[in-house]
Amino acid sequence: MTAGIRARQREQTRHALLREGRRLFATLGYGAVGLAEIVQAAGVTKGALYHHFDSKADLFRAVLGEVQEEIARRVVAAAEAQDDPWTQLTAGCQEFLTASTDPDVQQIMLVDGPAVLGWSEWRAMDEAGSARHLEDALTTLIESGRIARQPVAPLTHLLSGAMNEAALWLATSTDPADLTNTRAALLTLLESLRVRPSRR
């Protein structure tokens, strides 16, 4: 067997573990999923799993990383579809909120993520993804005078926390109008930061 074939097989095994781990973590929750269940669903051995991941928590960490990268890509795509820095911010924030209401995303990213990895590691991963894009957008708007000059880190954490909390609340909602109303409330919150040009 050539090195190229072995490398492809290793990649296929890793992909299968991530895919099935994500499906099981999302539908059952981290605590209810065993390693035996994951390897059976992926069609591999426990040895193959341990070749790629140190533990169930390590596999979950990789799954969470994938989820956060997907959310970040959606946020960036929504923002980059706009021309104006202000609408880039609002579009990105709205897309984060919408993407985060996916039940699979909520279970992995918002419910199990902090519980399994601990708050500090979860926050570090969150900051490396969507929160970093939020901070960049806020920095641009502060520097251009569209938002009042202020330290950007506290504002980033406040907005990020508000959006994460809103997504968690929406996970328990049974009213389809709640997403629309939450998006409207988020827009009102963001608009309150906006500096209006003075009239002469």
Side-chain angles (χ1 to χ4, degrees):
M1 186 183 297
T2 68
I5 293 174
R6 283 197 298 271
R8 277 198 302 276
Q9 286 182 339
R10 283 195 297 271
E11 187 56 34
Q12 287 171 351
T13 297
R14 179 181 170 83
H15 179 73
L17 287 165
L18 286 168
R19 181 188 67 242
E20 295 304 321
R22 177 171 178 166
R23 180 181 64 80
L24 290 166
F25 291 144
T27 54
L28 302 176
Y30 178 85
V33 177
L35 285 178
E37 199 171 359
I38 295 169
V39 297
Q40 182 180 2
V44 302
T45 64
K46 274 193 180 180
L49 184 145
Y50 284 121
H51 178 75
H52 292 278
F53 304 101
D54 294 336
S55 61
K56 185 175 81 164
D58 194 35
L59 172 60
F60 178 82
R61 183 180 291 107
V63 168
L64 173 60
E66 278 194 346
V67 170
Q68 289 182 320
E69 285 172 10
E70 288 173 14
I71 297 295
R73 283 195 297 270
R74 287 182 60 172
V75 167
V76 169
E80 290 182 346
Q82 307 297 322
D83 296 326
D84 176 69
W86 180 260
T87 52
Q88 286 176 347
L89 171 70
T90 56
C93 288
Q94 295 281 20
E95 183 58 33
F96 174 84
L97 190 61
T98 301
S100 298
T101 56
D102 180 306
D104 292 356
V105 169
Q106 288 171 334
Q107 183 65 45
I108 292 170
M109 188 172 80
L110 299 173
V111 177
D112 284 335
V116 174
L117 301 181
W119 182 252
S120 295
E121 183 175 357
W122 180 85
R123 278 301 300 157
M125 291 180 71
D126 186 54
E127 286 176 11
S130 299
R132 177 172 53 83
H133 298 294
L134 176 60
E135 183 171 11
D136 290 344
L138 291 170
T139 299
T140 297
L141 289 164
I142 289 171
E143 289 176 350
S144 66
R146 305 281 290 277
I147 291 177
R149 188 159 293 279
Q150 60 189 287
V152 72
L155 184 58
T156 301
H157 284 277
L158 282 166
L159 290 176
S160 179
M163 288 186 284
N164 283 335
E165 176 61 28
L168 277 170
W169 174 70
L170 286 167
T172 66
S173 167
T174 56
D175 186 349
D178 282 342
L179 175 58
T180 301
N181 293 336
T182 303
R183 284 171 60 97
L186 175 60
L187 188 58
T188 300
L189 177 63
L190 293 172
E191 285 289 340
S192 71
L193 299 171
R194 194 174 182 182
V195 173
R196 303 291 179 182
S198 58
R199 294 183 178 180
R200 294 188 180 277

